[in-house]
Amino acid sequence: MGHQHTDPFRLSHPDLEKLNWGLDRRDFLKKTAMGFGAIALNGLLASHQAQGQSLEQQIMSALPRIAPKAKRVVYLFMSGGPSQFETWDYKPELTKRMGQDLPDSIRKGQRLTGMSANQAILPVAASAYGFRQYGQSQTWVSDLLPYTAQVVDELCVIKSMFTEQINHDPAITFFQTGHQLPGRPSIGSWLSYGLGSENQNLPAFIVMVSKDASKDQPLYARLWGNGFLPSEHQGVQFRSSKDPVLFLSNPEGYDGKDRQEMLEYLKQLNQLQNESWGDPEVDARIAQYEMAFKMQTSVPEVMDVSDEPQEVFDLYGPNSRDKGSFAANCLLARKLLEKDVRFVQLYHQGWDHHDSLPKNIVNQCKQTDQATAALIMDLKRRGMLEDTLVIWGGEFGRTVYSQGKLSPTGYGRDHHPKCFSMWMAGAGVKAGTTFGQTDDFSYNIVKDPVHVHDFQATLLHLMGIDHEQLVYKYQGRRFRLTDVHGKLVKGILA
Amino acid sequence: MIDLLGHFHPFLVHFPIGILVLACVMIWLQAIRKTETQSSISILLLLGTIAAILAAISGFLLSNSGEYEKGDGLAHQWWGIGTSICAIILYFFQAYQKIISLVLLIAIAITGHLGGELTYGSNYLFASKKTNSPVKKLSLSTIDTIQQKVELDTAIEVVRMKGNNPFEQEVLPILKSHCFQCHSSKKQKGKLRLDTKTFIKKGGKEGLILHAGNPLKSHLYSYLILPEDDDLHMPPEGKKQLNSRQIDIIKRWIEMGAPFGESEAESLHATVKSLHAMPLPLPIKPASDEALLEAKKQGISISPYPSSNGGLSLNFVNIKRLDPKVWQATSALQKQVLQIKLSKRQDIQVEDLLNFKNLQQLNLEQSNVQDADLEHLGQLPHLSQLNLYGTGISDQGIKAIVAMKALKVLYIWQSKLSQEGLQRLKTARPDVSIVEGKFQFSPPDTNRLKAIK
């Protein structure tokens, strides 16, 4: 839509005037190509609405359902690629090899990024921080995560994650959408499409980005985009500014009394448009207006933390009163999950430590460690951890060798897709376990590799969806979150 | 190679039938019209005889290829050989050719019919042949039909299995009418038989056809839903096809775990086993679609209850007021509901919950429940998890909680329970894990946050 044709291209007859207004070439092709489908779809929607169920729910209810272990997910995305060496993958052998060139038998000629490929040597860098064993599970945890260490018996640490992407944007896009190129729906959008919204007053997919992180790598709204799914399934970003959701509150000077009436008329107009147009996006538009109206009351209510007792703020740590910080977002995430929001995704940037890693990672851990652990305990004591899945992880790992000069306390690490660590906790996951194993250099996986698609398949499984069944047909192809891949990681299922 | 020759049988049989029938017709025409066409008749008889012999040989090879059960096409085989001999006699004895040609015609007819029965099934000649004709033209008037088809394809209507032996009552009749022709005692295309449990479990040339619980991995189902022109589609193109309901029955049956209806001892064993696995009254009869829809219409969120077969979890987060209408809408789900979530509600009347006799888990946190309500909840015999944090429950409620026999987990923090009361509760019910919600991190050792030098 959008561009205007000049008159010679247009038919000139009074009866065709409406056509001239409405259809340019592209729209015409779009409309006629989908004409029959659209009519059928409209019919379907009408009949389903009559039964009080969305089309998606109908389709899903017809699919073979796995009884879901998880009803909600909170995904703490550590953007930038946290180093596994200073967090979860304890490699004591490396201290002996400190400064030695990385053996070819380990690297096996793997292509490196342009940032470290031209280094004369690839000096092995051991973690500058110690590790200790915690909990009944005796899991090794870095000294940088003293709070998460105290809840380690709730976690299932996966040390054998691997991805196919070595750069931030393709890697994070791959994690979020199952494909390295932009344009496909995010995990949360797939879940919103597949399962619908449990709480009709809040979106099924909500995103929050920490404001206190260093923004070393950018995040784009398409990472929580709906791709080709109907637009009401896109992730809605909640912000720490005066308006948590942009353009949601009434404009200044307008009291909003006739808002509902106005939206009702707008809906009628949209429905008229829908009847002559048959474009499913009109339905999405109607749904979004309705949701926005409900959110005018539901969002301020859920964002209000004033009735939380001091004890809760103490639990989440000193930053939890600072709106927009990771800690405050964790607390909000708990509130959203209590309201049965299906998928809450938090992003915390700043993990891309190409240099001065020992210095920078301390601050990253400080910002996230306590609130992460608090979220787990808070969910647990509310009886919610048993049906909420908590996920922590980045888009890839980091290299065992130092990028740039190595000194005992100063080194950097380059991107490493061949192995990295993440953890899951809560619903349906084996608590207090470690899955997978890397070699002594945490360079290659020696046991139980878990591909990104496997992770996604497992996530969907825990939510009660067979990843091979959640399919959306677009441009003649049937798309899945896991594309044509993905195996269930049975070893981490409780 | 021999198999290949055998496969030419369906192609070769047409020649003797055509040529020999023509020869017989010409013999009688010659006799009636008194014309001289004997030389042509001889050529036809020679060609027809050779063709008949070739057809007989290829047929014999086909019968030995393993695709057919031994002895199954015996009549067809001997009639075929007989036909060939008859053709040879006819070729050499012109004197009695009128009589012999009649015999030959009858032999051809019988052989052909027997062959047809082998391929198309024993009653193909008189069975009515109904196939779903595809919608040929898209016009406005057919759109309704297409819509209906789309609705059928999205399988809104969930087929339910009847009776206690769905295999015999539902699945077997479908197999019998659509598959036995080629996959039974008569014939084993792809070395597959579908007429008894043993054979279905054994599978065919390509291995197993049944993966209990997974229809898409089971060829028994997946081949049915391939496009009709796909080589693997079953039944093959042109044969009587299954309708969508029949396909759905097969699918549901496999999803159910493909039960063949065990002997009494087996099923008893299964029940005992499942009773061990789950503490609750079993099995739960799945809720009907109408009942689910009725509750959904009221705005109640319904999801399957984890690790239960047919159990449901209800969430009232979207309900504005808990009026009788809402509870009325759930009346048909009372047996299936294992969890009810009423978090933060201030309008709960616990009497409404007592109809859900199988309730295992009840979320009443931050709600208006009072000590007096707990005694009512004691009437729920299977209640094992009770969430009461942030409520007005005080020491007065302890007695009722202690009396809840099935209780295993209790969330009771931020309530009005005194320390002394909590202690009493713990002593009285050491088997219940009581979540007190008091959680504090031990402060980290900041020295360890410094990098190792």
Side-chain angles (χ1 to χ4, degrees):
Chain A
M1 287 187 211
H3 63 278
Q4 289 294 314
H5 288 309
T6 46
D7 280 334
F9 285 96
R10 299 255 154 171
L11 304 165
S12 54
H13 184 278
D15 288 347
L16 297 171
E17 202 51 42
K18 202 180 148 214
L19 215 65
N20 286 344
W21 272 96
L23 294 176
D24 64 12
R25 185 193 65 243
R26 203 178 299 170
D27 286 336
F28 176 76
L29 288 174
K30 198 174 162 191
K31 189 181 173 189
T32 46
M34 68 183 305
F36 283 116
I39 291 165
L41 187 68
N42 280 341
L44 273 176
L45 281 176
S47 69
H48 293 299
Q49 272 155 7
Q51 291 170 10
Q53 247 186 323
S54 74
L55 176 64
E56 293 88 62
Q57 282 168 322
Q58 288 277 346
I59 293 170
M60 280 310 293
S61 66
L63 292 177
R65 286 282 300 264
I66 312 152
K69 289 274 165 50
K71 292 201 180 119
R72 309 160 218 102
V73 181
V74 52
Y75 192 164
L76 312 173
F77 202 101
M78 300 295 124
S79 167
S83 166
Q84 68 272 35
F85 297 94
E86 282 78 12
T87 51
W88 297 102
D89 209 4
Y90 180 43
K91 293 296 167 195
E93 293 291 306
L94 292 180
T95 350
K96 289 181 223 154
R97 294 183 177 262
M98 190 80 171
Q100 292 175 12
D101 202 2
L102 176 69
D104 282 341
S105 60
I106 297 296
R107 184 183 149 197
K108 290 178 187 143
Q110 189 221 351
R111 266 177 80 193
L112 307 175
T113 75
M115 291 174 281
S116 59
N118 297 325
Q119 282 181 206
I121 85 158
L122 301 171
V124 167
S127 167
Y129 299 95
F131 274 69
R132 273 186 290 181
Q133 283 174 294
Y134 290 88
Q136 288 190 335
S137 56
Q138 289 292 290
T139 309
W140 288 96
V141 188
S142 155
D143 287 341
L144 294 177
L145 302 169
Y147 289 95
T148 315
Q150 294 177 49
V151 299
V152 77
D153 282 342
E154 303 296 335
L155 311 186
C156 171
V157 183
I158 307 170
K159 292 186 176 169
S160 52
M161 287 297 305
F162 72 105
T163 178
E164 292 162 17
Q165 303 302 322
I166 201 166
N167 261 322
H168 295 284
D169 189 70
I172 192 169
T173 309
F174 192 52
F175 240 105
Q176 297 279 256
T177 71
H179 198 266
Q180 66 270 34
L181 300 177
R184 302 211 184 166
S186 192
I187 302 171
S189 297
W190 277 112
L191 285 173
S192 167
Y193 170 71
L195 300 171
S197 188
E198 180 119 345
N199 185 335
Q200 290 160 7
N201 296 318
L202 284 168
F205 179 17
I206 291 174
V207 172
M208 286 181 280
V209 180
S210 306
K211 70 162 192 201
D212 55 344
S214 65
K215 315 272 185 202
D216 50 359
Q217 293 296 334
L219 295 170
Y220 303 99
R222 64 170 161 77
L223 292 172
W224 47 93
N226 54 300
F228 39 70
L229 296 176
S231 354
E232 69 260 37
H233 301 296
Q234 65 188 284
V236 176
Q237 188 180 354
F238 280 21
R239 296 160 200 268
S240 56
S241 49
K242 188 172 136 247
D243 277 340
V245 178
L246 291 183
F247 317 118
L248 187 64
S249 42
N250 293 325
E252 286 188 28
Y254 168 61
D255 62 4
K257 270 183 190 150
D258 53 357
R259 183 58 140 201
Q260 190 160 17
E261 205 183 347
M262 190 200 94
L263 286 172
E264 195 48 48
Y265 281 118
L266 186 61
K267 184 180 171 181
Q268 286 177 22
L269 280 175
N270 276 329
Q271 268 161 355
L272 277 178
Q273 179 80 345
N274 198 14
E275 277 158 29
S276 70
W277 228 223
D279 185 345
E281 274 302 291
V282 180
D283 289 314
R285 177 62 64 94
I286 295 171
Q288 281 169 311
Y289 272 125
E290 278 172 8
M291 178 56 81
F293 179 67
K294 289 177 191 160
M295 282 164 66
Q296 283 193 325
T297 46
S298 65
V299 170
E301 187 193 319
V302 78
M303 298 295 276
D304 178 19
V305 291
S306 59
D307 58 345
E308 292 289 329
Q310 179 58 35
E311 167 259 349
V312 169
F313 291 105
D314 290 344
L315 190 68
Y316 284 81
N319 290 338
S320 57
R321 283 196 186 271
D322 179 15
K323 269 189 180 178
S325 68
F326 181 78
N329 286 348
C330 279
L331 176 53
L332 282 177
R334 190 267 287 163
K335 292 197 66 171
L336 290 169
L337 296 168
E338 274 187 305
K339 290 274 178 192
D340 295 295
V341 172
R342 230 178 258 289
F343 198 88
V344 182
Q345 181 143 23
L346 267 52
Y347 291 89
H348 192 81
Q349 292 150 286
W351 292 94
D352 191 23
H353 301 137
H354 288 277
D355 55 63
S356 319
L357 185 143
K359 186 170 137 255
N360 294 330
I361 201 168
V362 174
N363 197 35
Q364 287 297 117
C365 291
K366 221 181 216 165
Q367 284 170 338
T368 54
D369 179 35
Q370 184 174 354
T372 304
L375 179 60
I376 290 192
M377 288 323 289
D378 206 10
L379 289 175
K380 190 176 164 75
R381 67 178 179 172
R382 283 164 208 275
M384 289 168 68
L385 195 60
E386 62 187 65
D387 53 8
T388 307
L389 180 66
V390 189
I391 306 167
W392 180 100
E395 68 266 38
F396 45 54
R398 305 208 78 88
T399 55
V400 62
Y401 62 82
S402 172
Q403 178 183 342
K405 224 175 140 226
L406 170 79
S407 73
T409 55
Y411 54 83
R413 296 191 191 274
D414 201 356
H415 307 166
H416 186 63
K418 292 180 75 169
C419 66
F420 55 102
S421 304
M422 67 189 292
W423 56 254
M424 295 165 111
V429 175
K430 262 187 207 157
T433 55
T434 301
F435 187 79
Q437 207 181 322
T438 55
D439 62 16
D440 283 344
F441 293 84
S442 189
Y443 200 95
N444 301 299
I445 296 166
V446 294
K447 200 179 148 208
D448 295 330
V450 179
H451 187 267
V452 175
H453 285 136
D454 302 338
F455 157 75
Q456 290 161 340
T458 311
L459 198 167
L460 291 189
H461 174 85
L462 288 168
M463 290 295 279
I465 298 174
D466 179 349
H467 69 109
E468 293 183 2
Q469 301 282 309
L470 185 60
V471 183
Y472 191 86
K473 195 175 172 188
Y474 172 65
Q475 288 185 340
R477 202 197 134 176
R478 287 170 177 83
F479 285 92
R480 285 178 9 203
L481 172 61
T482 50
D483 200 358
V484 297
H485 309 283
K487 293 188 305 287
L488 197 57
V489 188
K490 291 200 176 118
I492 67 166
L493 300 179
Chain B
M1 187 63 200
I2 285 172
D3 271 5
L4 181 73
L5 282 175
H7 286 157
F8 272 102
H9 181 71
F11 164 76
L12 288 172
V13 290
H14 297 91
F15 291 94
I17 296 173
I19 299 171
L20 290 175
V21 169
L22 183 62
C24 296
V25 169
M26 282 180 71
I27 289 169
W28 279 89
L29 278 177
Q30 177 180 258
I32 294 162
R33 293 197 178 171
K34 314 268 188 242
T35 49
E36 178 52 49
T37 47
Q38 193 58 42
S39 57
S40 310
I41 290 171
S42 291
I43 292 171
L44 282 174
L45 281 175
L46 181 63
L47 287 174
T49 306
I50 294 169
I53 292 167
L54 285 177
I57 293 170
S58 64
F60 183 71
L61 292 174
L62 184 63
S63 73
N64 282 336
S65 69
E67 285 169 45
Y68 295 82
E69 185 140 308
K70 281 258 177 293
D72 197 31
L74 221 56
H76 175 63
Q77 180 185 327
W78 285 113
W79 275 102
I81 293 169
T83 308
S84 304
I85 293 168
C86 191
I88 296 168
I89 296 170
L90 187 58
Y91 179 67
F92 288 109
F93 296 93
Q94 270 184 32
Y96 305 104
Q97 66 178 10
K98 275 191 282 184
I99 309 295
I100 301 173
S101 71
L102 279 179
V103 176
L104 182 62
L105 274 176
I106 293 164
I108 289 173
I110 291 173
T111 313
H113 176 71
L114 289 174
E117 280 194 335
L118 277 181
T119 312
Y120 301 109
S122 54
N123 53 354
Y124 81 103
L125 196 55
F126 302 106
S128 65
K129 204 175 174 187
K130 271 189 222 149
T131 46
N132 299 335
S133 60
V135 182
K136 283 189 184 108
K137 245 193 257 168
L138 278 179
S139 68
L140 281 171
S141 62
T142 57
I143 283 173
D144 280 352
T145 338
I146 296 171
Q147 269 184 38
Q148 280 160 11
K149 198 168 148 39
V150 171
E151 283 177 29
L152 261 179
D153 285 350
T154 51
I156 289 149
E157 186 203 9
V158 179
V159 175
R160 249 157 234 300
M161 291 297 171
K162 281 183 281 185
N164 44 15
N165 193 344
F167 175 70
E168 267 183 25
Q169 284 161 330
E170 303 267 337
V171 177
L172 203 59
I174 300 173
L175 298 180
K176 204 171 190 170
S177 61
H178 290 82
C179 315
F180 277 18
Q181 246 175 50
C182 304
H183 303 292
S184 66
S185 58
K186 290 196 197 83
K187 207 165 159 188
Q188 297 85 42
K189 288 241 168 131
K191 305 210 167 141
L192 175 68
R193 280 179 68 162
L194 295 173
D195 45 351
T196 71
K197 172 184 166 181
T198 328
F199 288 117
I200 295 174
K201 281 193 168 168
K202 190 174 148 216
K205 203 161 63 180
E206 290 174 37
L208 293 179
I209 56 155
L210 186 64
H211 291 260
N214 193 338
L216 283 179
K217 283 216 176 102
S218 309
H219 291 169
L220 186 63
Y221 169 72
S222 64
Y223 282 9
L224 302 178
I225 56 167
L226 288 170
E228 206 178 325
D229 57 358
D230 194 295
D231 283 347
L232 293 173
H233 174 86
M234 282 293 146
E237 212 177 349
K239 297 260 171 112
K240 195 164 131 199
Q241 296 296 314
L242 278 72
N243 64 34
S244 58
R245 198 191 123 78
Q246 291 169 318
I247 293 177
D248 215 24
I249 286 176
I250 307 251
K251 183 179 170 198
R252 295 282 153 185
W253 175 69
I254 299 175
E255 276 173 4
M256 284 166 73
F260 286 93
E262 301 112 316
S263 69
E264 226 166 281
E266 266 180 288
S267 68
L268 189 67
H269 181 67
T271 319
V272 171
K273 235 171 84 182
S274 59
L275 274 175
H276 279 301
M278 278 198 269
L280 243 211
L282 277 175
I284 304 163
K285 201 176 128 229
S288 74
D289 287 354
E290 297 74 34
L292 292 171
L293 221 54
E294 181 70 24
K296 276 190 180 179
K297 245 191 248 169
Q298 287 295 327
I300 301 166
S301 299
I302 308 172
S303 52
Y305 187 72
S307 325
S308 75
N309 209 347
L312 297 175
S313 166
L314 301 187
N315 188 348
F316 291 77
V317 64
N318 295 315
I319 304 293
K320 287 219 174 67
R321 263 193 27 238
L322 284 177
D323 46 28
K325 210 172 69 186
V326 174
W327 295 113
Q328 186 59 40
T330 59
S331 58
L333 298 173
Q334 282 165 356
K335 285 208 179 75
Q336 289 81 18
V337 172
L338 304 185
Q339 181 187 11
I340 289 184
K341 201 176 164 196
L342 293 164
S343 319
K344 298 192 180 183
R345 298 206 72 101
Q346 302 307 318
D347 56 351
I348 301 170
Q349 292 180 313
V350 285
E351 290 83 357
D352 294 325
L353 300 170
L354 303 180
N355 294 323
F356 299 92
K357 284 283 175 225
N358 292 341
L359 212 53
Q360 291 184 33
Q361 191 174 345
L362 193 48
N363 289 67
L364 300 172
E365 61 269 22
Q366 297 176 294
S367 73
N368 64 330
V369 284
Q370 297 297 324
D371 292 325
D373 297 329
L374 294 181
E375 274 181 45
H376 291 292
L377 294 181
Q379 296 174 31
L380 296 168
H382 302 289
L383 191 62
S384 63
Q385 187 166 336
L386 183 58
N387 201 327
L388 293 172
Y389 83 78
T391 57
I393 301 298
S394 71
D395 292 3
Q396 311 267 313
I398 294 175
K399 204 179 142 205
I401 295 175
V402 171
M404 293 178 184
K405 291 235 158 51
L407 195 65
K408 290 208 179 77
V409 187
L410 175 72
Y411 296 82
I412 193 78
W413 53 294
Q414 281 181 355
S415 65
K416 301 216 164 71
L417 209 63
S418 69
Q419 270 309 315
E420 183 262 336
L422 188 68
Q423 211 49 52
R424 249 194 310 147
L425 187 58
K426 278 182 178 170
T427 329
R429 286 298 297 270
D431 56 323
V432 176
S433 98
I434 296 170
V435 181
E436 296 167 68
K438 265 188 256 148
F439 184 81
Q440 270 186 326
F441 292 113
S442 46
D445 176 3
T446 43
N447 281 329
R448 298 201 54 117
L449 283 181
K450 289 187 189 116
I452 301 161
K453 287 275 152 42

